[in-house]
Amino acid sequence: MEWKKLVMFTLILLVTTSCSLFLNYEYNDTGGLRPKKLRFELTKIPYQLTKRDNLDTNAIYIKKHPIKVENGEVIEEQTFLRFFANGRYLISGSQFQKELNLEDINNLSRGFVGYYEIKQNKYLYGEFFWIRYNEGGRYVKEYGLLEEDKIFMFKSPPENGVFPKPNKNNCNIYIRKKIQGLSETSPDW
């Protein structure tokens, strides 16, 4: 009878802990989620931003979109892209708040981490690690078109080197916003 209790206890322990064994991400020292092993295709030779590139590392690129919060109110949440000169970028947001604050923007431990490269000074290729609650993370590719102070991010690559005409139905539109007090920290991924 005693061995049945031991077997049952062992099974319960295995079931409750095994889910976390299959997750391919972990928490960093400050609570941010990071891939356990970097499997980005763009990390083989990380991109180095050049002066010719039409990308501003002293700004963030913001997309606004409506969401419904608990009390039923609809607010305009903001998602932002923050790029670094060493080929890395961060996707984060206002976390159900109406406005972004400098602390959120400078917090590199929160959000989705990724790598990018730019070709022909106007085509942005990005790959980020996306995690949903209690799911294993996965790598997602994005394809962007850089224009003046905007980035048009598509989910599929350009056909024959040409993107479709950007609009809110076929891409996410991010608009550059200069930020005073942007931290000079380097990404930890």
Side-chain angles (χ1 to χ4, degrees):
M1 190 64 139
E2 208 50 47
W3 67 272
K4 287 183 180 179
K5 286 182 181 178
L6 182 61
V7 169
M8 190 61 132
F9 175 75
T10 305
L11 283 173
I12 290 171
L13 185 64
L14 278 173
V15 167
T16 57
T17 60
S18 66
C19 292
S20 65
L21 296 175
F22 297 109
L23 299 177
N24 58 353
Y25 62 87
E26 60 192 4
Y27 292 89
N28 65 10
D29 295 339
T30 56
L33 296 170
R34 298 292 183 262
K36 283 183 181 174
K37 294 182 181 175
L38 292 181
R39 292 193 174 111
F40 293 99
E41 290 179 15
L42 296 177
T43 60
K44 291 173 179 63
I45 302 173
Y47 187 76
Q48 289 297 315
L49 196 65
T50 67
K51 291 185 186 227
R52 294 185 334 228
D53 293 329
N54 189 19
L55 191 65
D56 190 349
T57 58
N58 295 314
I60 60 173
Y61 293 81
I62 299 174
K63 173 185 81 164
K64 296 181 179 184
H65 48 96
I67 62 163
K68 191 179 277 190
V69 292
E70 284 182 17
N71 65 3
E73 177 187 6
V74 175
I75 65 169
E76 198 166 67
E77 188 178 52
Q78 299 179 54
T79 300
F80 69 87
L81 306 176
R82 182 171 175 194
F83 294 90
F84 301 90
N86 62 359
R88 290 157 176 83
Y89 76 114
L90 176 74
I91 303 171
S92 193
S94 57
Q95 297 288 323
F96 305 111
Q97 302 169 27
K98 291 182 181 180
E99 294 295 323
L100 288 168
N101 61 51
L102 189 58
E103 185 178 330
D104 288 337
I105 295 168
N106 283 329
N107 183 356
L108 302 186
S109 68
R110 210 179 75 198
F112 302 123
V113 300
Y115 285 78
Y116 74 91
E117 66 182 20
I118 297 174
K119 294 187 178 174
Q120 299 173 10
N121 299 329
K122 65 179 180 176
Y123 297 117
L124 175 73
Y125 295 91
E127 183 181 17
F128 66 94
F129 189 71
W130 185 71
I131 304 164
R132 287 184 67 173
Y133 181 71
N134 273 348
E135 290 183 6
R138 64 186 171 103
Y139 293 88
V140 177
K141 293 183 180 177
E142 292 187 300
Y143 308 89
L145 180 62
L146 302 170
E147 285 189 6
E148 301 282 327
D149 63 344
K150 293 184 182 86
I151 299 175
F152 302 100
M153 292 298 263
F154 299 86
K155 293 296 177 195
S156 51
E159 291 184 28
N160 300 321
V162 178
F163 282 109
K165 184 174 172 135
N167 63 59
K168 65 181 181 178
N169 296 321
N170 66 5
C171 66
N172 291 317
I173 302 170
Y174 293 87
I175 299 172
R176 181 177 58 198
K177 180 178 182 182
K178 286 282 194 184
I179 302 293
Q180 295 286 47
L182 209 54
S183 68
E184 299 285 327
T185 48
S186 293
D188 67 350
W189 61 92

